[in-house]
Amino acid sequence: MKISRFAALAGAASLAVGLSACGGGGGASGGDSIKIGIKFDQPGLGLNDAGKYSGFDVDVANYVAKELGKTKVTFVQAPSKQREDLIATGQVDLIFATYSITDARKEKVSFAGPYFIAGQDLLVAADSTITGPKDLDGKKLCSVTGSTSADNVKKDYPGVQLQNFDTYSKCLDLVVNGQLDALTTDNTILAGYAAQPAYKGKLKVVGAPFSEERYGVGLKKGDVELCKKVNTALEKMVSSGEWQKAVDKNFGPAGFKVDSATNPPKPDACS
């Protein structure tokens, strides 16, 4: 299945079941059900393939849900620009969606974690001569609305021609065909795309990360109790070896090397 179909799948099914059959309400505060936001179109991190969920974020989410006593997980699509609203309106209890912890976001939501530290990089055509963001002046760069990635590049390289889409998968064919020069987001996400059969040998990750992205678990602002429970679950996942198993399972096939100097990270104190 090609990546270009993932977005269609995601739009066709806004809700689907995770660990078991979809349950009703209850959320994180009570009962055995929980609603968790993930990305639906990020291979290796959060992917919805006709109702089958896979990726590192999915594995961490399922582990945390189990530790919280939740046996029924409903996965909800969480595009970058909608994540804060999904939490604020109660459509999800938690978000595991390559959700970088930033001061601006902490004004609207709270974060548990981080549970992974990635770095922003560039995905380009296999024959591209781009070696880093310094080569982007006058070039067409693709990113996703609501992501920190594009802002980081535009701030330091104002000459770049930025084009935003609602999902990363919409950028891929445009980069392969030369209509766009590069796609920027976290190296973990880019590695997953480059490893897909439809794009193998056609795309490459530049391999020159230029930021630090601390993936956090988004939750309702001020919910310190839930934050602490999630952090306890994350620490247990690391100490049990399950975190490393999830890393090897999801990033190994893409040949992505996790920076052991920063991973696994210790969760921040909840406030």
Side-chain angles (χ1 to χ4, degrees):
M1 182 179 294
K2 292 186 177 181
I3 294 293
S4 57
R5 294 181 57 195
F6 291 148
L9 289 170
S14 61
L15 295 177
V17 181
L19 291 175
S20 61
C22 178
S29 59
D32 58 0
S33 301
I34 190 169
K35 296 170 290 185
I36 296 179
I38 61 168
K39 292 295 180 65
F40 275 19
D41 68 335
Q42 291 181 350
L45 286 155
L47 183 65
N48 173 16
D49 186 355
K52 182 179 179 181
Y53 299 91
S54 63
F56 182 71
D57 283 350
V58 174
D59 289 345
V60 177
N62 278 332
Y63 185 94
V64 170
K66 184 177 179 181
E67 289 299 309
L68 293 176
K70 309 300 180 180
T71 58
K72 297 178 182 178
V73 176
T74 300
F75 284 124
V76 179
Q77 186 181 20
S80 295
K81 65 180 179 180
Q82 297 178 18
R83 289 177 295 201
E84 286 82 22
D85 287 341
L86 287 171
I87 294 171
T89 57
Q91 295 180 64
V92 298
D93 301 297
L94 300 171
I95 287 184
F96 294 77
T98 57
Y99 202 3
S100 297
I101 301 172
T102 68
D103 289 338
R105 287 171 177 165
K106 285 194 287 186
E107 293 179 2
K108 299 179 179 180
V109 302
S110 290
F111 286 98
Y115 60 91
F116 192 88
I117 296 180
Q120 186 181 344
D121 211 323
L122 300 173
L123 186 70
V124 298
D127 60 354
S128 174
T129 58
I130 294 173
T131 60
K134 61 179 174 48
D135 298 326
L136 292 176
D137 189 39
K139 298 289 196 302
K140 295 178 181 178
L141 177 67
C142 184
S143 192
V144 168
T145 304
S147 169
T148 59
S149 303
D151 292 338
N152 290 340
V153 174
K154 190 69 175 176
K155 179 177 63 177
D156 294 329
Y157 304 94
V160 68
Q161 298 177 38
L162 191 61
Q163 297 190 27
N164 283 326
F165 292 82
D166 55 349
T167 61
Y168 294 110
S169 57
K170 292 182 179 179
C171 303
L172 299 177
D173 287 331
L174 297 177
V175 174
V176 170
N177 297 333
Q179 294 171 268
L180 294 172
D181 297 294
L183 161 62
T184 186
T185 188
D186 305 347
N187 48 12
T188 49
I189 300 170
L190 300 179
Y193 287 140
Q196 292 298 291
Y199 298 103
K200 204 162 187 179
K202 298 179 180 179
L203 294 170
K204 66 180 179 181
V205 181
V206 168
F210 49 94
S211 76
E212 182 177 274
E213 306 298 328
R214 304 168 71 245
Y215 292 169
V217 183
L219 49 93
K220 189 173 182 180
K221 186 169 177 60
D223 195 339
V224 176
E225 181 181 358
L226 180 56
C227 176
K228 289 180 178 179
K229 289 179 179 178
V230 173
N231 277 350
T232 297
L234 293 173
E235 290 173 339
K236 183 176 179 181
M237 187 177 188
V238 170
S239 64
S240 68
E242 291 301 313
W243 182 91
Q244 188 60 53
K245 287 181 181 179
V247 166
D248 295 341
K249 168 189 169 186
N250 293 291
F251 299 142
F256 177 72
K257 298 185 183 303
V258 174
D259 186 353
S260 59
T262 55
N263 284 294
K266 183 176 177 58
D268 298 335
C270 296
S271 60

